[in-house]
Amino acid sequence: MVCTMPFLRALLRTARMIRHTPELSAGLPADHAVMLDAPDEKLSPALVAAALGEYEPAAKLLATTRDAGEWECRDRYLHRLVAFARSRDGWLGDWLAVAPHDPDALLVKAQLALSRAWESPARAEQLREVGPMITAAAECDPRDPVPWRLALDHARGTHATHTTFETLWEQAIQRSTHHYGCHVAALQYLSAAWYGSHRECFDFAERAAEDSLPSSLVQALPLRAAFAVLTEGPDVRTTSVQVERIDRAADLAISLSVSFEPNDPWPAEVRNLLAYVLVVRGRWAEALEQFRRIGPHAASFPWSSVSDDPLGRFLDARDGARLQVASVTPLRHRADRGRTRGHYA
């Protein structure tokens, strides 16, 4: 006799998906409304002006972050401006020609050179040439931790010793104890892919999260360590201890996400990373909740690390979470009990 139970379970799963998928779309923007790395209201005018070859709005934006000591914003805006300059840098050349010693222009110049060196086949040689640019940017404003984040990234690429790296790290945290970018740079140096191990990576991330402020993005640092483990390769087995630390990191990041309003662009990258980790761990309902909190703010990271089409991968993961939740939602809700719905209800 042929066993029909698997077939019946498949039918039930399909019925649940058909019934509940539409209602589970509530709170999720339509695919066409989701944007990858959408700039905020401060960055957008600077990018538009740069596209027209004008540097003044970008210069004003970075100067404002420096004057106000808004180091997290400064680092974030720097990344986005440099991402644009990698293909169109005429505005930066004009800026440097007019103000060759401007601390903000020198910072953009150093970050652009660093980014290009990392992607070059001649990485080691080009990184050596970037060193003086980073030093020049750091000397412009002793308060600014962002050039020291560049120095940490540069040290990783030039195979700096642990002693050298620790010296740079001390300089960075003296300027901003909880600077997220500097912590991420240190975490990458300690990762198994570079000069450390998964254990060192988690140890550092968990201690940093414990020492950070409740709403600090450093709270998501263990999630970065979890991502490094989960993306190490298909042939690498995850230990039970690592799984426990991964889930604990996700729980901490969920608490961080709750502290921000839904659709807030500031924690969007952290929420995207959290959604990815939850999907990989099969925590579908929690992943779907993060996609709702993300709203239209898809981020390149982490999706670009696992796909050449980060926006497509984001949308696929979001659809997958919705379908998985629908497939395990009972056909009849509790509120429906006691109500006659016919034979197929």
Side-chain angles (χ1 to χ4, degrees):
M1 183 177 180
V2 178
C3 180
T4 61
M5 286 304 298
F7 178 63
L8 291 175
R9 282 196 292 266
L11 288 179
L12 183 59
R13 180 183 176 90
T14 301
R16 288 171 172 171
M17 290 169 62
I18 292 172
R19 177 164 181 176
H20 297 301
T21 295
E23 64 189 60
L24 289 171
S25 298
L28 297 176
D31 287 2
H32 65 80
V34 178
M35 297 183 64
L36 190 68
D37 299 327
D40 64 20
E41 67 278 1
K42 293 181 180 180
L43 178 61
S44 184
L47 291 176
V48 171
L52 298 174
E54 302 168 2
Y55 66 85
E56 290 86 356
K60 182 178 180 181
L61 177 64
L62 290 179
T64 299
T65 61
R66 178 165 46 82
D67 292 341
E70 296 175 340
W71 308 124
E72 299 286 8
C73 291
R74 180 174 179 79
D75 205 5
R76 181 170 296 196
Y77 292 148
L78 174 65
H79 275 294
R80 297 299 306 280
L81 289 167
V82 166
F84 181 83
R86 285 164 64 181
S87 57
R88 301 179 65 177
D89 62 357
W91 58 278
L92 176 58
D94 292 343
W95 185 5
L96 288 165
V98 172
H101 304 295
D102 184 290
D104 305 310
L106 290 175
L107 184 62
V108 177
K109 176 185 177 182
Q111 178 66 76
L112 179 59
L114 181 63
S115 299
R116 286 174 170 168
W118 267 101
E119 295 181 353
S120 171
R123 177 193 296 174
E125 180 180 348
Q126 291 200 17
L127 281 174
R128 283 195 293 271
E129 297 174 0
V130 175
M133 300 182 198
I134 297 174
T135 300
E139 290 174 346
C140 285
D141 190 338
R143 303 171 305 145
D144 189 357
V146 180
W148 294 95
R149 193 268 301 156
L150 270 67
L152 292 170
D153 286 336
H154 179 264
R156 176 163 53 93
T158 54
H159 308 289
T161 65
H162 278 62
T163 301
T164 299
F165 195 89
E166 287 173 5
T167 301
L168 296 173
W169 170 248
E170 289 175 2
Q171 292 292 327
I173 61 174
Q174 282 177 11
R175 288 158 173 80
S176 181
T177 306
H178 304 295
H179 188 266
Y180 181 61
C182 290
H183 278 79
V184 170
L187 192 73
Q188 290 173 321
Y189 183 90
L190 292 171
S191 69
W194 288 93
Y195 310 110
S197 65
H198 290 314
R199 181 176 179 177
E200 289 178 282
C201 204
F202 265 119
D203 288 347
F204 171 78
E206 289 169 353
R207 284 197 300 268
E210 288 175 3
D211 294 340
S212 69
L213 301 174
S215 60
S216 170
L217 295 183
V218 176
Q219 292 276 309
L221 207 63
L223 196 68
R224 284 265 188 168
F227 178 76
V229 173
L230 293 173
T231 55
E232 187 174 19
D235 299 328
V236 178
R237 297 183 61 183
T238 305
T239 68
S240 59
V241 173
Q242 288 174 335
V243 168
E244 181 180 345
R245 297 182 95 168
I246 289 168
D247 283 336
R248 190 163 61 240
D251 293 340
L252 181 60
I254 288 173
S255 298
L256 176 65
S257 177
V258 170
S259 70
F260 294 95
E261 291 295 323
N263 300 326
D264 186 344
W266 180 254
E269 183 178 281
V270 167
R271 282 174 169 160
N272 274 255
L273 178 58
L274 175 56
Y276 175 88
V277 171
L278 291 171
V279 165
V280 174
R281 292 290 301 127
R283 297 169 60 171
W284 302 109
E286 293 165 302
L288 185 60
E289 173 59 23
Q290 292 309 312
F291 282 118
R292 289 197 177 96
R293 288 184 169 274
I294 290 167
H297 300 291
S300 290
F301 180 79
W303 313 105
S304 61
S305 300
V306 294
S307 173
D308 293 331
D309 178 15
L311 181 56
R313 186 63 179 268
F314 170 90
L315 295 173
D316 288 345
R318 191 179 70 162
D319 287 343
R322 185 163 50 93
L323 290 172
Q324 289 289 343
V325 173
S327 71
V328 297
T329 302
L331 283 173
R332 182 180 297 175
H333 292 303
R334 291 184 178 182
D336 296 334
R337 291 177 181 175
R339 186 183 307 169
T340 302
R341 285 186 173 272
H343 183 70
Y344 294 103

